Amino acid sequence: MQNVIIFVEHKKEQTRKVTFELATQARSLADRLGGAAHAVVLGAGASQIAEQLRAYPLDTVHVSEDADVDRYLLEPSIAYLEAVAKKIGPSVILVPNTMFGRDIGSRIAARLGGGFAADVTGITVEAGVISCVSPKLGGALITTCAFQNTDFGVVTVRPNAFTAQAGGNGAQINQLEKPAASAAYSVTIESEVEEASGELGLEEAPVVVSGGRGLGGPEPFTTLLKPLADAFGGAVGASRAAADAGWVPYSLQIGQTGKTVSPNLYIAVGISGAIQHKVGMRSSGTIVAINKDGAAAIADFADLVVVGDLFQIVPELTKMVEAAKT
Amino acid sequence: MNLREAGLGFLRVLGGPEANVKIVVTVKLVPEPSSEKKIDSGTKRLVRTGVETVINPYDEYAIEAALALKEKLGGDTTVTVFAMGPENTKETLRKALAMGADDAVFLSDAGLEGSDVWGTASALALGLKKVGFDLVICGGLSDDGSSGAVPGELTEYLGVPGITNARSLDVVDGKVHAQRETDNGYQVVSGPLPALVSVTMAIGEPRYASLKGIMGAKKKTIAPLAIADLASPLALGSAGAKTRLLDFAPPAPRQKAQVVDAPDGATGAKIIFDFLKEKRLV
Ligand SMILES: Cc1cc2nc3c(=O)[nH]c(=O)nc-3n(C[C@H](O)[C@H](O)[C@H](O)COP(=O)(O)OP(=O)(O)OC[C@H]3O[C@@H](n4cnc5c(N)ncnc54)[C@H](O)[C@@H]3O)c2cc1C
Ligand SMILES: Nc1ncnc2c1ncn2[C@@H]1O[C@H](COP(=O)(O)O)[C@@H](O)[C@H]1O
């Protein structure tokens, strides 16, 4: 494995912060392996994202605005990525550890007969062998895995685990040709419905303010939590109990069967801290809980638990954080 | 090298309309999620013997999706559960049969120990090809492996249309229709059978097994499969694995939380604000 390829997730001419973390890591990894750093950006808006990527130390950015990419589910993306990988040869492919990244990563790993390392927070190279560090079993163990028996390795990288640093001399842009497989695409995207705010980014927000069953209904998510999250420049998350109750869309759910986040600051509001929730946020920098029950499970892994009524505390805290900004 | 290159062709087994869809649910048998899990320091594998085993919670939702679809389609539609795992976990499959699945296939072989995502997906693909299917339904994530990559890899090795993260699912005129969750909403997608779909927990709460179901499950078949039945062109198990666990350790422990009572909102807010200020987070 010598080269590094990042696959860029983007939507509506916006990409995720993790893209730039991947680009920076790709350079460092390519240097350690003695290879080149590539990016692949596909679909509507790809050229504009490619321009943004030229501020990062990549060698080549492969682009196609082929409309098939947004018309068919995953298949065109995999066909393009396969063509690039096969052309440049042995490579490690970095994708974000997001819903989309896991889909792309698993398909391309299988297509290339490569290894797959999930939710990676560190990458080392020793004597040409790549090893990936990742929390497993809900973060109860930190594991190190090496690739073997293959020319290709796919790594899904946890957002916020690596830093992004601009630099380099501006990558070359390479327009890709339509893959031969295009006649066989089979899963059609008929329509797309937005339920949440529409931005990419709960996973990479620097501050996450999460609400649980303690909020008692959907309104406090918009009237209480959103203003606090906004004051921090952060995002709103939720427990599964809140998502199951229909108070927020599942896309906000954090935990084992939701998203994994590691912000600098996680504020759990009216969340008890069940193990399935914990595994999605335990690696956050600082964890603060607001709960009327001081013995809630969250006290076992939070840094600070304030025992009191969230409906009284949150508005006051929002005022203080806003005041501190001005 | 992968199974696609080795020429795994897939032939649709049942050619009829949706009145006789053969649904196969992939089910993983995992250590009870809240139990303390151990990795054997010698083999560097998760200890799967001497621990309570359950159906991967996510896969109960996959079973529910299959049973609901069967009820809707009627006719000769069948639901088979397919699991790969060590011999001692086999009886756990009865729970899926008690929920209402028609039969089960259990792929178990010492040669499959140490399978990584690639090996698991390859073995499942060969097994599913042998069993035959119109629609494969997977869970989204296993509680122990948690890569969420098996459904995607399996899609490739079966060479069928793949739809991940479905929150609703239907089959009409030989096509599967689904709403699939995205980061901020959902997409309406469709593709022809045979196909593979992975579901999210929004697909619907798994049903409980009835007493009648539990009694009936005792008589249903769990057909065994072993590596020899797969006629794999590639080495499976630890010999073929594309990843190898080198090392594992517990994470650095967190300090015990400060727990502070807040008599009123303003005091509570101030406690948090001062704490964050000290950490330079505001
Ligand atoms: C297979 C499986 C997967 C799961 N996956 C996830 C997952 O991904 N994410 C997830 O979050 N959960 C998941 N769960 C569910 C998990 O076990 C818990 O049920 C859930 O996290 C509880 O949510 P909660 O903390 O909001 O609710 P509760 O446990 O009911 O906690 C509510 C908390 O709010 C506090 N509270 C109430 N009113 C107030 C008030 N006025 N002021 C202050 N505090 C108040 C209470 O003291 C309590 O601690 C999963 C469960 C299973 C079985
Ligand atoms: N050993 C196995 N036997 C049967 N199904 C499996 C196995 N491993 C994974 N799966 C399926 O793949 C899904 C995702 O698992 P994973 O990729 O391990 O997170 C599970 O929900 C199962 O449906």
Side-chain angles (χ1 to χ4, degrees), chain A residues 7-325:
Chain A
F7 188 85
V8 177
E9 180 175 2
H10 65 99
K11 196 170 211 169
K12 295 194 176 151
E13 287 161 10
Q14 277 193 12
T15 187
R16 291 174 172 274
K17 186 168 130 254
V18 67
T19 297
F20 305 115
E21 295 163 9
L22 293 182
T24 309
Q25 188 59 24
R27 172 81 275 146
S28 140
L29 200 50
D31 289 346
R32 284 180 278 162
L33 292 166
H38 297 255
V40 175
V41 201
L42 305 172
S47 303
Q48 192 175 330
I49 304 289
E51 271 315 309
Q52 291 177 31
L53 275 169
R54 296 189 75 223
Y56 287 81
L58 295 163
D59 297 306
T60 311
V61 180
H62 305 268
V63 180
S64 168
E65 295 222 358
D66 184 352
D68 279 351
V69 172
D70 299 294
R71 199 176 291 148
Y72 296 97
L73 185 62
L74 292 168
E75 294 158 324
S77 298
I78 300 305
Y80 276 106
L81 192 49
E82 179 187 16
V84 172
K86 288 204 165 145
K87 183 149 182 229
I88 68 175
S91 301
V92 49
I93 300 173
L94 307 180
V95 297
N97 189 48
T98 58
M99 283 172 97
F100 182 76
R102 272 193 297 277
D103 279 346
I104 290 283
S106 59
R107 296 282 295 259
I108 193 65
R111 187 70 66 93
L112 296 168
F116 187 91
D119 198 14
V120 168
T121 55
I123 306 176
T124 59
V125 179
E126 228 170 287
V129 177
I130 301 171
S131 300
C132 297
V133 178
S134 59
K136 283 280 169 206
L137 298 173
L141 286 177
I142 308 298
T143 62
T144 309
C145 265
F147 290 117
Q148 62 176 15
N149 295 332
T150 175
D151 283 341
F152 294 95
V154 173
V155 179
T156 71
V157 176
R158 182 183 285 196
N160 282 347
F162 295 95
T163 48
Q165 178 129 43
N169 300 324
Q172 269 189 1
I173 304 280
N174 173 43
Q175 293 290 336
L176 293 170
E177 278 167 34
K178 209 170 170 79
S182 61
Y185 299 151
S186 61
V187 182
T188 325
I189 302 172
E190 288 160 12
S191 62
E192 179 135 19
V193 179
E194 276 185 13
E195 292 178 320
S197 58
E199 303 141 33
L200 294 173
L202 178 55
E203 289 100 328
E204 43 222 341
V207 176
V208 173
V209 180
S210 253
R213 203 185 326 256
L215 268 73
E219 295 82 18
F221 277 89
T222 35
T223 56
L224 283 184
L225 295 202
K226 182 80 169 60
L228 181 57
D230 286 346
F232 280 114
V236 173
S239 72
R240 175 148 171 234
D244 274 346
W247 300 343
V248 295
Y250 278 100
S251 53
L252 298 195
Q253 182 187 319
I254 289 164
Q256 188 199 350
T257 45
K259 290 181 174 151
T260 302
V261 298
S262 22
N264 297 332
L265 172 61
Y266 189 91
I267 306 185
V269 184
I271 292 179
S272 62
I275 176 77
Q276 297 92 348
H277 188 77
K278 173 183 176 183
V279 300
M281 44 64 77
R282 68 187 287 168
S283 63
S284 304
T286 298
I287 300 171
V288 172
I290 302 174
N291 201 305
K292 64 181 182 195
D293 176 9
I298 196 144
D300 295 338
F301 55 97
D303 299 294
L304 172 69
V305 180
V306 172
V307 184
D309 182 19
L310 69 93
F311 292 95
Q312 292 178 23
I313 297 172
V314 173
E316 296 294 333
L317 181 59
T318 306
K319 275 189 236 158
M320 294 180 81
V321 177
E322 266 167 3
K325 278 198 304 194

Side-chain angles (χ1 to χ4, degrees), chain B residues 178-199:
Chain B
Q179 282 183 6
R180 67 180 295 273
E181 273 175 47
T182 60
D183 263 312
N184 55 6
Y186 63 93
Q187 291 172 328
V188 180
V189 299
S190 67
L193 293 178
L196 180 147
V197 177
S198 77
V199 299

